[in-house]
Amino acid sequence: MKKILLRFFGLIVILILAFGWVILNPKPAFAQINTINYNNINLENRDFSHADLAGVTFVAAEMRGTNFQGANLTNAILTKGVLLKANLEGANLSGALVDRVTMDGANLKNAIFTEATLTRSRFFDAEITGADFTDALIDRYQVSLMCERADGVNPVTGMSTRDSLGCR
């Protein structure tokens, strides 16, 4: 009986300490503070060239013809976006989540997609010369299509587009 009482008392003390910690430190551990969200918005033909957009979210955004040339999009979230004929030349999308994005006809020349997640995304007729896809997650079908036209070397990373895609 004494052991049960001690365990119960210990549990109460732990719960009080945990509650006190939550009250005194209410900031969530994984929250992104001061992030900009462009979710479900029409950004068609907007100019974000050379902008610092690291960590910004563009979920289900309409971005046809949008200019992201030279933009910093590291760790950005672009899920379910439409980037038809968008300009991402020289943009840095390292670590970005680019899931279910349509990039048909987009200019991805010299873009950096290292360690990005590009699953279920389309790149039909996209210009990929010099793009770096090192350690990116891309559907095999899209990789096979891109390997047919992969060419060039990224001027920043020095990685060949063909090598970064694992083309044979």
Side-chain angles (χ1 to χ4, degrees), residues 30-43:
F30 298 107
Q32 292 182 349
I33 298 170
N34 298 327
T35 57
I36 299 170
N37 296 317
Y38 292 108
N39 299 338
N40 298 305
I41 191 168
N42 186 344
L43 300 170

Side-chain angles (χ1 to χ4, degrees), residues 77-140:
I77 300 172
L78 292 98
T79 56
K80 299 181 185 177
V82 177
L83 285 157
L84 292 169
K85 298 185 179 178
N87 183 8
L88 288 106
E89 183 173 341
N92 185 351
L93 290 103
S94 298
L97 176 60
V98 189
D99 178 60
R100 293 172 280 172
V101 174
T102 304
M103 291 194 191
D104 298 353
N107 179 5
L108 307 177
K109 186 176 181 180
N110 299 325
I112 301 171
F113 290 97
T114 56
E115 298 180 358
T117 301
L118 303 159
T119 51
R120 294 173 51 189
S121 292
R122 291 182 5 180
F123 302 91
F124 299 140
D125 298 321
E127 171 62 55
I128 60 169
T129 302
D132 184 354
F133 297 96
T134 303
D135 296 326
L137 295 174
I138 310 169
D139 296 334
R140 287 183 190 176

Side-chain angles (χ1 to χ4, degrees), residues 150-161:
D151 191 25
V153 174
N154 188 281
V156 176
T157 65
M159 178 61 82
S160 134
T161 301

